[in-house]
């Protein structure tokens, strides 16, 4: 099925409830090839021009869910939403970025999805369209956390991103040289209007994690009316705070005894997160 409008796509999903919508198919085909998914039918979204563009709307960027990661990583996006452009450029080799879409990244909700921590830090929202023109908006974080689920015949049509016009960055560590699956990733966004810092850590849990206490603590140290610089010790402490919040020490066993230690692999990831958070905040403040 190859609908050309959102309404046609919703009607196709309503007619065949077991059908699976597909845009770039980069994640879906991986599951099909691994024998994890056997869709009864596919509803192709590639011909729906409505969801392949973007526009300004009330201080936000309304991004079509069908925007490719290659388009999202372009220079005009980098000027508009720098961290999102950086994360899109990091999302695998060119053939993946040319096919994969922003909406697909969100709906697939892979723990290592590169755009997800950025969208979480930006506190983006999803515009979801359903049968009979029904439309609702939910925070990206709610869908990723399982607090909201897509209902039958619903589609993510747009991603609404606040335009903060402030420094932001995205950093990613992989297990090998070049584009690859993230070992850990960190998005840092400054929000001068609210005198806040937002940080989200990806790939270390099933969904991006927000270290809210670390955000509030570091925001209280920044001179928002001055140079906004921080001492290296404060940046390092922020990195450690974020890492400890996202990868805490194991709880002690009941009845006392030795406190369990993190395994070496977890310690390595924690140190990686600390480094990414420290560097990310430093670059944003610079």
């Amino acid at each position: 099925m190859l609908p050309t409008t959102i309404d046609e796509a919703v009607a196709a999903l309503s007619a065949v409830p077991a059908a699976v919508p597909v845009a770039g198919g980069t994640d879906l085909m991986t599951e099909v090839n691994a024998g994890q998914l056997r869709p009864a039918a596919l509803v192709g979204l590639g011909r729906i021009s409505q969801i392949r563009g973007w526009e300004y709307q009330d201080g936000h960027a309304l991004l079509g869910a069908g925007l490719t990661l290659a388009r999202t990583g372009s220079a005009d996006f980098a000027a508009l939403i720098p961290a999102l452009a950086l994360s899109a450029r990091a999302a695998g080799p060119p053939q993946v970025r040319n096919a994969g879409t922003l909406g697909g990244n969100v709906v697939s909700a892979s723990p290592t999805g590169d755009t997800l921590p950025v969208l979480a830090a930006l506190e983006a929202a999803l515009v979801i369209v359903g049968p009979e023109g029904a439309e609702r908006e939910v925070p990206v974080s709610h869908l990723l956390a399982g607090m909201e689920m897509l209902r039958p015949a619903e589609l993510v049509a747009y991603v609404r991103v606040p335009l903060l016009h402030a420094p932001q960055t995205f950093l990613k560590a992989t297990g090998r040289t070049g584009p690859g699956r993230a070992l850990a990733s960190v998005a840092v966004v400054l929000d001068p209007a609210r005198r806040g810092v937002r940080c989200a850590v990806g790939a270390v849990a099933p969904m991006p994690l927000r270290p809210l206490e670390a955000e509030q603590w570091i925001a209280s140290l920044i001179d928002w009316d001055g140079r906004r610089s921080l001492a290296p010790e404060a940046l390092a402490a922020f990195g450690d705070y974020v890492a400890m919040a996202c990868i805490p020490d194991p709880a002690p066993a009941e009845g006392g005894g030795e406190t369990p230690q993190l395994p070496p692999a977890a310690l390595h990831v924690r140190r990686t997160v600390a480094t990414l958070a420290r560097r990310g905040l430093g670059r944003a403040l610079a």
Side-chain angles (χ1 to χ4, degrees), residues 198-217:
R198 301 186 205 160
C199 176
V201 178
V204 302
M207 58 169 285
L209 302 177
R210 287 279 302 275
L212 298 177
E213 291 184 0
E215 293 177 1
Q216 295 164 4
W217 173 74

Side-chain angles (χ1 to χ4, degrees), residues 24 41 50 68 92 96 98 113 118-119 131 134 136-137 178 182 187 197 208 217 227 256-257 259 261 282:
Q50 295 165 273
T68 64
V96 170
N98 289 334
V118 176
L119 295 174
R136 61 192 181 101
E137 190 168 310
V197 175
W217 173 74
R227 294 180 58 194
T259 302
Q261 300 294 313

Side-chain angles (χ1 to χ4, degrees), residues 2-286:
L2 296 172
T4 57
T5 67
I6 294 174
D7 289 341
E8 288 179 4
V10 169
L13 291 171
S14 298
V16 186
V20 175
V22 57
T26 53
D27 289 321
L28 181 139
M29 291 312 299
T30 299
E31 294 183 14
V32 169
N33 292 336
Q36 299 170 351
L37 182 66
R38 289 287 181 268
L42 297 176
V43 176
L45 308 179
R47 294 186 179 181
I48 304 177
S49 59
Q50 295 165 273
I51 61 172
R52 298 185 72 84
W54 62 278
E55 61 183 77
Y56 295 106
Q57 189 179 84
D58 301 325
H60 292 71
L62 190 65
L63 310 179
L67 278 168
T68 64
L69 297 175
R71 181 74 180 90
T72 310
S74 61
D76 51 350
F77 267 89
L80 189 70
I81 315 172
L84 188 59
L86 287 169
S87 67
R89 292 173 190 166
Q95 58 267 35
V96 170
R97 299 197 303 273
N98 289 334
T101 62
L102 184 61
N105 223 211
V106 173
V107 174
S108 296
S110 168
T112 56
D114 291 307
T115 65
L116 303 186
V118 176
L119 295 174
L122 289 168
E123 297 180 352
L126 304 174
V127 178
I128 298 172
V129 177
E132 299 180 4
E135 187 175 299
R136 61 192 181 101
E137 190 168 310
V138 302
V140 166
S141 58
H142 286 197
L143 188 75
L144 298 178
M147 299 164 62
E148 293 276 354
M149 302 292 289
L150 286 178
R151 300 165 189 165
E154 280 191 332
L155 282 174
V156 173
Y158 304 98
V159 182
R160 191 189 305 278
V161 180
L163 294 177
L164 301 179
H165 303 295
Q168 51 189 254
T169 191
F170 169 83
L171 293 172
K172 168 182 173 179
T174 62
R176 64 178 192 271
T177 304
R181 194 169 292 273
L183 173 70
S185 60
V186 172
V188 177
V189 175
L190 301 187
D191 188 352
R194 298 181 183 178
R195 297 179 175 241
V197 175
R198 301 186 205 160
C199 176
V201 178
V204 302
M207 58 169 285
L209 302 177
R210 287 279 302 275
L212 298 177
E213 291 184 0
E215 293 177 1
Q216 295 164 4
W217 173 74
I218 201 66
S220 70
L221 300 183
I222 295 173
D223 178 7
W224 293 99
D225 298 317
R227 294 180 58 194
R228 298 185 194 167
S229 60
L230 287 174
E233 296 80 8
L235 294 174
F238 172 72
D240 291 339
Y241 202 163
V242 169
M244 288 289 291
C246 295
I247 309 172
D249 287 321
E254 291 185 12
E258 265 189 51
T259 302
Q261 300 294 313
L262 279 176
L267 280 172
H268 174 61
V269 174
R270 181 193 276 178
R271 294 189 191 102
T272 301
V273 169
T275 300
L276 294 178
R278 169 176 56 81
R279 291 178 180 170
L281 179 60
R283 292 183 185 183
L285 290 171

